[in-house]
DNA sequence: TTGTAAGCGTTATCAA
DNA sequence: TTGATAACGCTTACAA
């Protein structure tokens, strides 16, 4: 028995020897190179199967100067939205034969930089960053080829308006989402609207402002109260609800579903009934928003699809060498049980007419 | 300017040249090798920083025959339990300087094998498999070193009893969990108990049987009805609830929280009130079980911790060469609102006395 | 159509 | 304490 048949690692040389050809022929044969005769190709394939040959991607990557690996950095893997983004990212990457290595930043700047460095050392062909506070410019610097796509950027440094053109950014159309929310609130006859959010994150500011603007454009124009809720408020919503209860608004528009659902629970603990005492609107459309009690009215965002697009864009960037322009994915308002028509019964009464 | 200062990739040779030493010295210096003088070490470090040198992990891995990378294969990344497992796994791996590459099997056998093969080609130092149907023996064969740890194995092929000793397996103490559930059910005075699950997955069978046995041991012994619910029933629970409604049990013990929560919603849609008309018990303790309405009584499992342990065990196996024995992590019953004392008011009446 | 040999960027062996 | 040099396993000019 030749070497390689035993416990030793089987390498291409072993396959070549068994097939009675040279290493280069074996290499080409396994790559289905047309220059190698069909017979030789089959012989090599068989030798490879017999020996249970597993190609060494490390050696291949070193030689080829590309790893067929994508890096994915996100804030928290256990978050439902991020889980969906990651799932979509992995699915698309796998479809194209790319591996995915991932890291969670946990909102810790040092950790995020360390992760990007790890991606760099491991020579990821591209990197996606989802919902982290990291400055995109810094992120691009930390990734050698600059092949970075940012999903739902939350850095305060990124231009907030829709006109500025950026490359390699994927976001949801939060403005349109909030416009739909505003229209729905008006339709329901809500007057005293409160927005609940932390007041600093980019996506929070974007959503908050979009809501304000849309409501200001109405007839009559409606103001929006702001109820501050720290970033982790969804883990301990009671203080926020206490603040809310001091002067109950008609409806609460929440930064995201996690917050909205936890508020639902905390409101119930205070015997405040949704939607009778107060309406609640979420943002994201996570699965549990569909089966909460009451079911949550929310803006459904395509989290899984964002992940897919991020991977697709990266792979295309790797292959073409140019990073596609920013994409904004559509969202949809799902009206459910946590909001309802308030004053007049639903009808032909044009609001403000 | 020497080569490497420009856009070209900076390699160790560039650092060595700038520091005025040889490549080998530079390599050792960056590895903080004691044999290199402190002065030289600092000089090399500085050169590296100046040039923004990023070591090439691919080359290092090729030479060192280990990648400092772990593979994680799970069924569905967007599932809350898996998300937590993944988060724990990544955290522990990162703590030890390991990267994590992951893949989702989506219950597709071919896809799972392909993922394991990808891990093999990329020479992951170890692989963790969570909640997949893959036969552990096959899994071990597909991973070169056999360094596999299986989290919550769901293969029908794995020995189900607690005596058999296996290596590299991490599971939760589902039997103890169901015993606690049984005790709670008895305490509540439930008589007509139904178990809802798909009837095939290992964890389903384990939980089902454990519940049956625990209830059979009571005084009086209680039987358990079985309500079949296909694997994906939580996406479309209506047919299951229809079946349940034909003859309403006192309490539903569900395979997992996802199923329990979706049943909660479907029951409500039918005007069946929980816990007044029927009690509901879940399993897993996912975050939303704490804030559902009613809040879900469930067996809380340490999903995040399972991920941590899996990574820790793998890393130790990589370093020591031996795979630690199976671990069973403790669970805890969380009694919440979806179950309640039924017949007699809560009191000193010993059940069955 | 196939073989020879160079080289990807490290680390480790052996000398000095 | 440091330096030359040979691997690691693969792909790809360049030859034949």
């Amino acid at each position: 028995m030749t070497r390689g048949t035993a416990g030793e690692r089987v390498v291409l040389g072993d396959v070549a020897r068994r097939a009675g050809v040279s290493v280069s022929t074996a290499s080409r044969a396994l790559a289905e190179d047309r220059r190698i005769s069909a017979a030789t190709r089959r012989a090599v394939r068989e030798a490879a199967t017999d020996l249970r040959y597993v190609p060494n991607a490390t050696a291949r990557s070193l030689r080829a100067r590309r790893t067929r690996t994508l890096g994915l950095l996100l804030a928290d893997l256990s978050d439902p939205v991020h889980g969906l983004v990651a799932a979509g990212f992995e699915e698309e990457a796998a479809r194209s034969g790319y591996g995915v290595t991932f890291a969670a930043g946990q909102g810790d700047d040092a950790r995020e930089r360390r992760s990007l460095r790890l991606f760099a050392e491991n020579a990821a062909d591209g990197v996606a960053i989802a919902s982290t506070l990291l400055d995109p410019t810094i992120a691009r610097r930390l990734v050698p080829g600059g092949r970075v796509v940012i999903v739902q950027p939350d850095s305060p440094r990124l231009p907030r308006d829709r006109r500025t053109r950026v490359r390699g950014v994927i976001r949801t159309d939060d403005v349109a989402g909030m416009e739909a929310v505003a229209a729905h609130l008006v339709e329901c006859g809500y007057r005293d609207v409160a927005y609940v959010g932390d007041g600093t994150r980019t996506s929070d500011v974007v959503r908050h402002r979009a809501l304000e603007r849309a409501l200001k454009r109405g007839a009559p124009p409606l103001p929006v109260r702001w109820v501050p809720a720290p970033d982790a408020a969804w883990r301990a919503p009671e203080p926020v609800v206490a603040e809310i209860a001091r002067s109950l608004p008609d409806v609460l528009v929440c930064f995201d579903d996690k917050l909205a659902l936890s508020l639902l629970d905390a409101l119930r603990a205070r015997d405040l009934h949704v939607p009778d005492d107060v309406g609640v609107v979420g943002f994201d459309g996570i699965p549990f928003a569909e089966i909460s009690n009451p079911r949550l009215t929310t803006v459904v965002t395509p989290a899984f699809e964002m992940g897919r697009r991020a991977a697709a864009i990266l792979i295309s960037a790797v292959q073409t060498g140019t990073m596609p322009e920013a994409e904004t994915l559509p969202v949809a308002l799902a009206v459910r049980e946590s909001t309802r028509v308030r004053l007049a019964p639903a009808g032909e009464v044009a609001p403000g007419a």
Side-chain angles (χ1 to χ4, degrees), chain A:
Chain A
M1 289 286 152
T2 54
R3 173 186 148 237
T5 322
E8 303 297 315
R9 201 161 174 10
V10 177
V11 299
L12 191 54
D14 301 321
V15 175
R17 199 168 318 123
R18 179 176 241 255
V21 298
S22 74
V23 232
S24 47
T25 303
S27 170
R28 289 192 269 250
L30 291 177
E32 293 298 327
D33 191 315
R34 318 290 307 172
R35 293 173 308 185
I36 305 297
S37 77
T40 310
R41 290 211 301 258
R42 203 181 46 252
V44 173
R45 267 203 310 268
E46 274 169 15
T49 321
D50 292 350
L51 296 176
R52 298 182 186 293
Y53 168 66
V54 175
N56 183 326
T58 307
R60 185 194 313 235
S61 297
L62 180 58
R63 172 67 227 231
R65 293 151 153 280
R66 56 148 191 53
T67 54
R68 281 194 156 267
T69 287
L70 264 26
L72 174 62
L73 171 65
L74 24 71
D76 177 13
L77 205 43
S78 64
D79 177 278
V81 178
H82 293 165
L84 282 164
V85 171
F89 191 85
E90 192 274 341
E91 167 142 330
E92 183 67 26
R95 248 174 36 85
S96 306
Y98 277 73
V100 176
T101 111
F102 74 99
Q106 305 289 3
D108 175 348
D109 198 69
R111 226 173 125 172
E112 290 178 351
R113 284 156 180 267
R114 232 180 302 136
S115 301
L116 288 185
R117 173 156 179 117
L118 193 69
F119 291 158
E121 295 188 2
N122 283 96
D125 290 341
V127 171
I129 303 180
S131 307
T132 60
L133 300 165
L134 214 63
D135 183 334
T137 321
I138 293 188
R140 288 235 152 68
R141 263 226 325 272
L142 260 46
V143 179
R147 272 185 297 275
V148 176
V149 35
I150 299 182
V151 181
Q152 287 293 63
D154 245 348
S155 159
R157 304 282 281 276
L158 210 76
R160 283 169 186 170
D161 62 300
R162 289 205 268 187
R163 270 154 302 167
T164 316
R165 297 204 150 184
V166 215
R167 296 191 166 274
V169 170
I170 300 180
R171 33 188 155 196
T172 49
D173 197 347
D174 291 10
V175 172
M178 276 308 185
E179 280 164 357
V181 169
H184 174 62
L185 299 185
V186 169
E187 229 169 26
C188 287
Y190 291 119
R191 290 315 204 78
D192 183 4
V193 177
Y195 176 84
V196 189
D198 83 335
T200 63
R201 300 176 55 170
T202 308
S203 40
D204 178 84
V205 174
V206 168
R207 291 172 193 180
H208 192 168
R209 284 201 194 161
L211 179 68
E212 280 180 335
R213 286 192 189 152
L215 247 20
K216 197 186 291 170
R217 278 200 301 270
L222 255 32
V224 175
R225 280 206 262 159
W226 176 46
V227 176
D231 209 20
W234 62 276
R235 291 179 201 277
E238 172 45 33
V240 179
V241 169
E243 173 63 25
I244 290 167
R246 289 163 55 110
S247 141
L248 205 63
D250 292 345
V251 63
L252 304 169
V253 179
C254 305
F255 164 65
D256 71 1
D257 285 352
K258 273 200 322 254
L259 179 58
L261 291 173
S262 70
L263 251 31
L264 238 38
D265 182 61
L267 287 167
R268 184 167 70 93
R270 282 198 168 237
D271 263 323
L272 288 169
H273 199 270
V274 177
D276 296 336
D277 297 327
V278 58
V280 173
V281 177
F283 207 110
D284 278 347
I286 64 177
F288 282 101
E290 281 183 77
I291 58 170
S292 58
N293 177 11
R295 301 194 189 107
L296 189 67
T297 293
T298 189
V299 176
V300 180
T301 62
F304 187 87
E305 185 61 22
M306 305 226 342
R308 292 188 78 106
R309 291 302 305 147
I313 283 179
L314 272 181
I315 291 170
S316 122
V318 169
Q319 283 163 359
T320 67
T322 53
M323 183 62 70
E325 266 188 15
E327 282 184 20
T328 302
L329 301 187
V331 300
L333 178 69
V335 175
R336 300 204 270 244
E337 301 170 333
S338 65
T339 51
R340 78 149 54 139
V341 175
R342 198 117 214 262
L343 306 175
E348 297 305 274
V349 188

